[in-house]
Amino acid sequence: MKSLFVSSICILIFLVELGFSQPPETEVKRGYGYAFAAPGVVAGEGSSSATLTFGGGGEGLLTHGLGISADVGYLFFPRNGFSEGFGLFSPGVLYQFNRNHKAVPFVTGGYSLAFRQGTESLIHFGGGVNYWFSNHFGMRFEGRDHIDPRYANENWLQFRVGFLLR
């Protein structure tokens, strides 16, 4: 568990540094959609379980680097099967650094709603890098944690990899 977390942090730091060293682009990306896959782990109380999430969403910049985002996904535990999962809707806010570069580091946070037969309210936070190959296509690398405020020692960690389209 700790090695997954440490590895994810090291990758994110490397990608953020890469973002600060890229030459400027001619156009700032103001809004785009994305699709992602996210291997992860639920860890807490001395135990952990692997998870897998698939989903999509969108982001839009409002002013300077500040923007809003929303995504929806399906999270499940591979050992229990696909049918035992639940939906996860996550609206939030974000801040992007160096928006006119090919690699755009960002931080994000907000609310998450887990739903199936009932609902559960969570908060999320994370960060990563969007890398733009062209003005219309890119890739996204993100580390994200979902936390239930009632069980703050339980973490729903995800490493998201996705495609960006504009």
Side-chain angles (χ1 to χ4, degrees), residues 76-166:
F76 66 99
F77 299 88
R79 72 163 191 250
N80 295 343
F82 189 78
S83 64
E84 297 296 317
F86 55 88
L88 197 58
F89 172 64
S90 299
V93 296
L94 65 108
Y95 187 82
Q96 295 182 344
F97 307 90
N98 293 339
R99 297 174 314 282
N100 61 344
H101 288 70
K102 284 185 174 271
V104 182
F106 65 91
V107 292
T108 185
Y111 173 78
S112 291
L113 178 69
F115 59 92
R116 185 174 168 110
Q117 294 171 332
T119 61
E120 191 72 37
S121 293
L122 309 167
I123 57 172
H124 73 267
F125 61 91
V129 173
N130 291 333
Y131 186 85
W132 293 95
F133 297 107
S134 71
N135 279 331
H136 303 289
F137 179 73
M139 289 198 68
R140 176 185 189 91
F141 304 95
E142 176 185 1
R144 185 177 283 197
D145 191 5
H146 297 270
I147 297 174
D148 184 335
R150 297 174 302 156
Y151 307 105
N153 60 343
E154 184 174 283
N155 293 284
W156 298 65
L157 301 168
Q158 297 178 326
F159 181 71
R160 295 173 162 207
V161 177
F163 296 103
L164 301 165
L165 295 172
R166 228 183 73 109

